[in-house]
Amino acid sequence: MNESTVSFRNATLGDLDLLRYWDEQPHVLASDPNDYWGWEEDLSKPQPEWRKQLIAEVNGKPIGFLQIIDPQLEETHYWGDVEENLRAIDIWIGEKDYLNKGFGTQMMKLAIEQCFSEPNISAIIIDPLVSNKGAIRFYKRLGFKFVEYRTFGEDECMVMSLEKDYL
Ligand SMILES: CC(C)(COP(=O)(O)OP(=O)(O)OC[C@H]1O[C@@H](n2cnc3c(N)ncnc32)[C@H](O)[C@@H]1OP(=O)(O)O)[C@@H](O)C(=O)NCCC(=O)NCCS
């Protein structure tokens, strides 16, 4: 049992170097090899209503990143045509030493609570690479269910969803 508690704060331009450093970590790269994150542009502007970019901290130390979007309103339409009232999450622990200690689970539980605290939100969707067996196990443990296999760009992904009535 891990006694340390994760908290979130909004990501800021001051996190630019850290986010770029995390992007280069092999375990992060392996989970998202073809995606480009325009950190400088994203963090220079106020967060739009359809996106939250959060830094997870443990005892004041930044350890990871979590993004919540409204996939219907998100500007690149990454998810294509999706229904309203969904949220989509991206997550990674940037600091390797903080993997496999329950912090990812804490981050997801906080994010799930945030998403479902909005009364209209019906489900949360995610898209791990099919090859990312550890992440798929992680999401299943949290209650996410298989929806479909889907190719995003060059990435073979498994779309999974957590319905609001998952408890
Ligand atoms: C996916 C990810 C966010 C999970 O975060 P995490 O903090 O490592 O997850 P947890 O610690 O909650 O669970 C991971 C494993 O550690 C185990 N674990 C949890 N707490 C533990 C503890 N205190 N001691 C020992 N093991 C523990 C879990 O049982 C789990 O085991 P399993 O892999 O055999 O199923 C993290 O692995 C990560 O950032 N990976 C790289 C990026 C990525 O893949 N992101 C997802 C893209 S879709």
Side-chain angles (χ1 to χ4, degrees):
M1 176 73 186
N2 199 316
E3 302 297 337
S4 299
T5 304
V6 169
S7 59
F8 283 138
R9 62 168 174 78
N10 287 334
T12 70
L13 204 48
D15 298 307
L16 195 55
D17 289 347
L18 185 63
L19 287 161
R20 286 178 173 160
Y21 166 72
W22 287 346
D23 279 350
E24 290 161 12
Q25 300 309 297
H27 68 281
V28 176
L29 263 177
S31 71
D32 192 17
N34 302 310
D35 223 356
Y36 167 76
W37 290 75
W39 296 121
E40 194 156 7
E41 202 191 329
D42 286 358
L43 298 173
S44 300
K45 298 180 286 195
Q47 305 218 30
E49 43 140 359
W50 44 263
R51 180 177 64 211
K52 275 186 200 153
Q53 294 188 320
L54 302 165
I55 298 289
E57 294 187 337
V58 173
N59 300 326
K61 180 181 169 61
I63 63 150
F65 173 81
L66 188 142
Q67 171 173 278
I68 304 174
I69 60 163
D70 178 332
Q72 193 185 50
L73 300 182
E74 186 271 323
E75 63 187 352
T76 71
H77 297 295
Y78 172 84
W79 283 90
D81 281 335
V82 286
E83 58 194 91
E84 59 182 357
N85 297 327
L86 296 179
R87 290 291 179 262
I89 292 180
D90 290 292
I91 176 176
W92 54 88
I93 306 254
E95 301 294 332
K96 191 167 175 285
D97 291 350
Y98 286 77
L99 289 166
N100 302 318
K101 293 183 171 159
F103 294 126
T105 299
Q106 280 195 47
M107 287 167 67
M108 281 303 292
K109 285 188 171 166
L110 281 176
I112 290 166
E113 202 179 297
Q114 264 196 38
C115 292
F116 288 144
S117 71
E118 292 184 50
N120 293 340
I121 299 305
S122 60
I124 301 169
I125 52 175
I126 45 152
D127 63 337
L129 290 176
V130 172
S131 58
N132 196 348
K133 304 287 183 219
I136 291 169
R137 212 164 47 237
F138 168 77
Y139 291 128
K140 278 188 181 155
R141 227 176 6 247
L142 285 157
F144 284 82
K145 301 271 191 297
F146 173 85
V147 176
E148 62 175 349
Y149 292 108
R150 186 164 162 193
T151 305
F152 291 91
E154 295 168 41
D155 296 335
E156 300 291 327
C157 295
M158 181 189 285
V159 175
M160 301 174 84
S161 148
L162 184 73
E163 306 289 322
K164 187 169 201 160
D165 56 5
Y166 70 101
L167 286 174

